[in-house]
Amino acid sequence: MGKADESKRRLLEAATAEFAEHGIAGARVDRIVEAAQVNKAQMYAWYTSKHKLFDAVLDLHVLEIVNAVPLDVDDLPGYAARLYDAHLARPLLTRLAAWARLERVPTGDLFGHLRDHNEARLESVRAAQASGRIVPDVAPEDVLAMVTATAQAWSPISLETAATPDEEPAVHERRKRALAETVRRAFVPA
């Protein structure tokens, strides 16, 4: 990894922490560049604005989750449980997405700026529905939305209980069993 790559990595890490804590409006570029030990001119050369830096941070974290937990249409219950684990390990993603909803994209597709970002996943759901592996009476985009939302039921923005890694493993296992069973009942044909 070259010096520029290392600087960019530090910048994205510092920006992640700043945006997760303060949102887009409350984040300060001066705090980000100071924490990252990069100069402001370099940050703007890479990202042109605070909003573009936020987009890069959010996209990076979403891609990490998507790559860490690929959609498995043949095991939607297991996929949901793996998403639970991934979000538990990456609570900042949920905070970043919440800020994006509050400050940037209050309605519609949060990642609409990424052309065809979900098309392969939606096509996988369509194919599974056509072959009888997922119920056909729920739109593919709604299947993905509901499975994802259910997996995030214990996320940092939960209205009920936010999960933390320091809870007893048995608590996480209980939640994942309930989550998997709920997804199975809702989307896997009997």
Side-chain angles (χ1 to χ4, degrees):
M1 181 180 286
K3 188 175 180 179
D5 291 336
E6 178 60 26
S7 295
K8 196 179 252 189
R9 183 196 60 75
R10 287 194 319 270
L11 178 65
L12 290 171
E13 284 180 5
T16 295
E18 180 75 9
F19 287 128
E21 181 67 24
H22 301 285
I24 304 164
R28 298 291 172 255
V29 169
D30 288 335
R31 287 192 300 244
I32 293 169
V33 296
E34 181 180 339
Q37 300 175 338
V38 298
N39 70 51
K40 198 184 291 190
Q42 188 61 60
M43 188 218 84
Y44 283 116
W46 287 327
Y47 297 104
T48 70
S49 72
K50 181 170 73 166
H51 286 271
K52 297 274 189 197
L53 177 59
F54 177 83
D55 291 343
V57 166
L58 182 61
D59 293 350
L60 172 72
H61 286 275
V62 168
L63 286 174
E64 282 181 6
I65 289 278
V66 168
N67 291 333
V69 188
L71 175 63
D72 183 352
V73 294
D74 292 318
D75 183 17
L76 276 184
Y79 169 70
R82 289 186 297 280
L83 271 180
Y84 172 96
D85 286 335
H87 284 281
L88 184 64
R90 296 170 181 85
L92 295 182
L93 170 60
T94 304
R95 291 179 60 94
L96 292 167
W99 285 115
R101 275 284 177 223
L102 289 169
E103 298 186 61
R104 298 282 298 283
V105 186
T107 61
D109 187 349
L110 187 60
F111 300 100
H113 64 284
L114 299 174
R115 190 169 189 269
D116 298 328
H117 73 94
N118 226 10
E119 194 50 43
R121 292 162 32 96
L122 291 171
E123 187 51 43
S124 293
V125 173
R126 283 186 203 100
Q129 288 176 314
S131 66
R133 295 173 287 152
I134 294 177
V135 296
D137 58 340
V138 180
E141 56 272 17
D142 295 338
V143 170
L144 288 179
M146 287 188 278
V147 170
T148 301
T150 305
Q152 293 177 0
W154 298 274
S155 75
I157 59 169
S158 172
L159 293 176
E160 296 296 324
T161 302
T164 63
D166 61 337
E167 291 176 289
E168 292 294 321
V171 172
H172 295 298
E173 291 305 316
R174 182 196 78 227
R175 290 175 183 152
K176 289 190 294 185
R177 278 192 309 274
L179 169 63
E181 183 60 18
T182 299
V183 169
R184 185 192 63 73
R185 288 178 187 173
F187 302 111
V188 178

